């Protein structure tokens, strides 16, 4: 690997490269930030206070840190754990990664050379039942060339709770490993209740259902783009099985909803009270970038939603103007003026449809994309928090090992030989936990770097495609608008204006 390549090239060419660094130019432009740096407290002595006595354990730790020949800062060599060395591999790429299984290598190679495709459509929403016990069912159609799936084309019926259950299962499997699991669409209790009672958002249940259908489709396609998540048995069962086990605890007002609320409160408290000394500049810069990007996307999403709402209001006003103009043309006794007003009403009716199309483009192409990535950023933050949790577990094991060793020394000094075997066994047990904690921390750090590389690559691709689609829609709309006005009769328009002027002059003369 050449370290002098541009970071953007690293993201584009090698998704699995954990050494990829943030783009310095982007960092100076898009991600320039007023983010608050969170310093973490628990950095204390880790290696000097609790040396690992096991030769095998020491060898494993040295391999995990990238080799004993790697240079470390003198200021932190004796008093702190070098988090950078734990999360980054050795720069000698000719050597195999530490403790990497052959299966993992094969999976990574498949990620790089992925030639399979998968396209998922969610359609045909259908209401089952009546009243508050009713629910919506969607048709999920999958077309894929992946050989592990039973058929190249299949369709199933799924309700909204099935989507939430799938997300919960994927999240529980992959979040603690550092994987980025796309967030499921939000559950709208108010919106769905109105649909069940026959009243949707803004008295339009079709609009609410279409928004939900589009969100579910985007969610499944985002999961299918991940080479690991799409091979998960639960995801395959969701797309293939005719009948799924009923998803539990997915309702907002249920025991599961209460558990999720308690867990979110617990995670918030853990985040506020648990700190980590971050010596890896990559993670520190990425956290700042993510915070800045989150703020920017939220502001842009709010502006686009306002734009879409105002465009819909404009379409309503245009429709009202077209209707009033048509009524005026029917009441006008002058044939030429009546014909001009009628033609003007027809043009305004067409323009009304253009405004509706533009509003739909604002919402479905841009606003929903921004909303999806705001949710994805929360998944990124959750993975970073899992890394902090892994670090906390490792440090707890270090502290317990120190205490057990101190207790063992006291027993040896007091010559309490009958308690020595148990104390020695406890020391050995906690030594293994320390090794495991350090290994897990290194693995999740490496995994987050891989997932962030994939996230950045997909983000650039998604935004580029969406912006091109949005601009093309805007250009088509403007060209159509020009065509409508060019088709408006010039002669009739001039005669209409002259007639209005003459009528106005005659009214003034009478007054």
């Amino acid at each position: 690997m050449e370290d002098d390549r541009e970071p953007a090239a690293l993201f584009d060419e090698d998704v699995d490269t954990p050494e990829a660094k943030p783009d310095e130019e982007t960092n100076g432009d898009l991600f320039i930030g007023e983010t608050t740096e969170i310093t973490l407290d628990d950095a204390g002595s880790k290696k000097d206070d609790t040396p690992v006595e096991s030769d095998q354990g020491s060898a494993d730790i040295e391999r995990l840190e990238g080799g004993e020949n790697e240079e470390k800062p003198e200021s932190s060599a004796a008093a702190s754990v070098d988090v950078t060395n734990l999360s980054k591999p050795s720069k000698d790429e000719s050597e195999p990664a530490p403790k990497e299984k052959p299966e993992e290598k094969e999976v990574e190679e498949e990620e790089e050379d992925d030639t399979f495709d998968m396209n998922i459509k969610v359609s045909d929403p259908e209401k089952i039942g009546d009243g508050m016990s009713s629910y919506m069912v969607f048709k999920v159609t999958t077309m894929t060339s992946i050989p592990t799936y039973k058929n190249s084309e299949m369709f199933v019926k799924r309700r909204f709770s099935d989507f939430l259950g799938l997300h919960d299962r994927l999240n529980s499997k992959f979040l603690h490993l550092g994987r980025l699991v796309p967030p499921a669409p939000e559950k709208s209790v108010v919106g769905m209740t109105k649909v069940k009672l026959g009243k949707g958002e803004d008295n339009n249940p079709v609009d609410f259902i279409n928004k939900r259908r589009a969100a579910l489709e985007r969610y499944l396609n985002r999961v299918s783009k991940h080479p690991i998540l799409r091979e998960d048995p639960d995801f395959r069962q969701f797309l293939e099985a005719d009948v799924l086990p009923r998803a539990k605890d997915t309702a907002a007002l249920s025991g599961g909803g209460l558990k999720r609320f308690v867990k979110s409160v617990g995670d918030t408290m853990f985040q506020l009270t648990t700190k980590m000394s971050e010596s890896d500049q990559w993670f520190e810069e990425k956290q700042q970038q993510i915070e800045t990007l989150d703020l920017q996307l939220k502001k842009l999403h709010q502006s686009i939603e306002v734009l879409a709402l105002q465009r819909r209001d404009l379409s309503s006003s245009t429709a009202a103007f077209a209707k009033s103009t048509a009524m005026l043309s029917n009441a006008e006794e002058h044939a030429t003026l009546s014909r001009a007003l009628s033609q003007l009403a027809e043009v305004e009716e067409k323009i009304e449809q253009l405004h509706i199309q533009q509003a739909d483009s604002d919402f479905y192409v841009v606003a929903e994309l921004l909303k999806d990535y705001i949710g994805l950023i929360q998944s990124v933050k959750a993975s970073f928090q899992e890394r902090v949790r892994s670090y906390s577990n490792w440090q707890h094991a270090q502290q317990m090992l120190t205490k057990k060793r101190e207790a063992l020394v006291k027993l040896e000094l007091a010559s309490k030989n009958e308690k020595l075997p148990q104390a020695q066994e406890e020391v050995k047990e906690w030594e293994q936990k320390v090794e495991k904690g350090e290994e897990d921390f290194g693995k999740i750090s490496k995994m987050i770097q891989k997932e962030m590389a994939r996230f950045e690559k997909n983000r650039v691709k998604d935004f580029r495609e969406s912006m091109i689609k949005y601009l093309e829609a805007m250009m088509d709309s403007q060209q159509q608008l020009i065509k409508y006005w060019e088709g408006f009769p010039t002669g009739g328009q001039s005669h209409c204006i002259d007639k209005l002027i003459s009528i106005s002059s005659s009214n003034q003369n009478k007054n």
Side-chain angles (χ1 to χ4, degrees), residues 56 60-61 63 96-101 104 435 439 443:
Q56 181 63 34
D60 291 343
I61 295 174
R63 287 197 302 272
K99 286 189 175 183
E100 187 174 22
K101 298 180 182 180
E104 295 179 354
E435 294 176 14
E439 180 181 358
K443 285 182 177 179

Side-chain angles (χ1 to χ4, degrees), residues 16 28 39 100 199 205 214 289 291 323 377 385 396 421 468 470:
D16 294 331
T39 57
E100 187 174 22
K199 298 179 181 179
Q289 291 176 6
E291 291 293 339
K323 184 177 180 180
I377 286 178
Q385 194 59 33
H396 173 71
I468 291 175
Y470 180 68

Side-chain angles (χ1 to χ4, degrees), residues 392-496:
S392 177
N393 294 336
W394 176 23
Q395 295 311 300
H396 173 71
Q398 288 274 23
Q399 295 171 1
M400 291 301 298
L401 177 59
T402 301
K403 293 180 181 179
K404 295 299 181 182
R405 283 176 170 169
E406 291 175 352
L408 178 60
V409 171
K410 291 180 180 179
L411 292 176
E412 290 175 346
L413 293 176
S415 300
K416 295 182 179 180
N417 297 330
E418 68 281 1
K419 296 183 178 180
L420 285 178
Q422 181 180 356
Q424 291 172 349
E425 186 65 26
E426 290 178 350
V427 169
K428 184 178 180 180
E429 178 184 353
W430 282 103
E431 283 177 347
Q432 295 174 351
K433 290 183 178 181
V434 169
E435 294 176 14
K436 181 67 165 53
E438 186 174 10
E439 180 181 358
D440 291 344
F441 180 74
K443 285 182 177 179
I444 194 173
S445 297
K446 182 179 178 181
M447 183 60 67
I448 288 176
Q449 288 180 318
K450 293 179 182 179
E451 292 294 298
M452 284 301 299
R454 182 180 292 107
F455 170 80
E456 293 290 348
K457 183 177 180 180
N458 291 337
R459 182 173 66 88
V460 172
K461 180 180 178 181
D462 288 344
F463 273 84
R464 180 174 62 245
E465 292 177 352
S466 296
M467 290 300 104
I468 291 175
K469 182 178 179 181
Y470 180 68
L471 293 176
E472 288 177 346
M474 292 288 292
M475 292 175 63
D476 292 341
S477 177
Q478 294 302 315
Q479 290 175 357
Q480 195 65 37
L481 182 63
I482 294 173
K483 185 182 299 184
Y484 288 155
W485 283 117
E486 286 179 344
F488 188 73
T490 306
Q493 185 180 10
S494 300
H495 188 77
C496 174

